[in-house]
Amino acid sequence: MCELFDINTMDKSSRIAKNIVIGKDVNIGKHVLVGMNVIISGDSEIMDDCVIESNSHIENAKISSNVKICASFIKDSSIDENSTVGPFANIRNNSIIGKNCRIGNFVEIKNSKIGDYSKCAHLTYVGDALIGENCNIGCGVVFCNYDGEKKSRAIVGDDVFIGSNSNIIAPIQIADKAYIAAGSTINKDIKEEEFAIARARQENKSGFNNPYTKRK
């Protein structure tokens, strides 16, 4: 646990010593704790009872009450109350994170909305997507929003489960309560309560002369 300081009780010299930078236009509520090497700049607002742990950078962002941010970058976006972000998350380009969400380590969210109680626990890219409430986005999921010429949007309903290492190719719509098997590449719409699996069947070939083992 990093050492935390109540930003409202720190004088300027204490902030400088801890390498904490607060912009002149930033609004900060009560009982806000920050760690070392934190930068809060631009038109940012941090509401009551938030925790901003060390090495976080917040720029032009709205952070609602009781939010915890750990070593993450948030720009031009908003985080609603009781959500957690990080470590090492990147939330940018007008993204909106709902209430009671979990945005975990090495997750990037760009120009997207994440509904209340949804979670992206780790190693995920969400770009140009609208995700509903109470969704689970598994590890290694990629929202494929760019075809080389234009950006496209993915729309995901409520109570959707997306298994790990899935690719969601936009434009696409995934309806409420859909379930996507891990390792799937999805390029067709999924209706409500449908189960989608899109991967080749595994085959194990015997007698294979492994060139890697041969080289060793």
Side-chain angles (χ1 to χ4, degrees), residues 36-51:
M36 296 176 65
N37 304 319
V38 165
I39 300 174
I40 306 175
S41 62
D43 183 24
S44 292
E45 181 179 9
I46 314 294
M47 298 185 70
D48 299 347
D49 302 307
C50 288
V51 176

Side-chain angles (χ1 to χ4, degrees), residues 23 56 63 69 97 177 183 193:
S56 294
I63 311 298
I69 298 169
I97 310 301
K177 300 180 181 179
E193 296 188 331

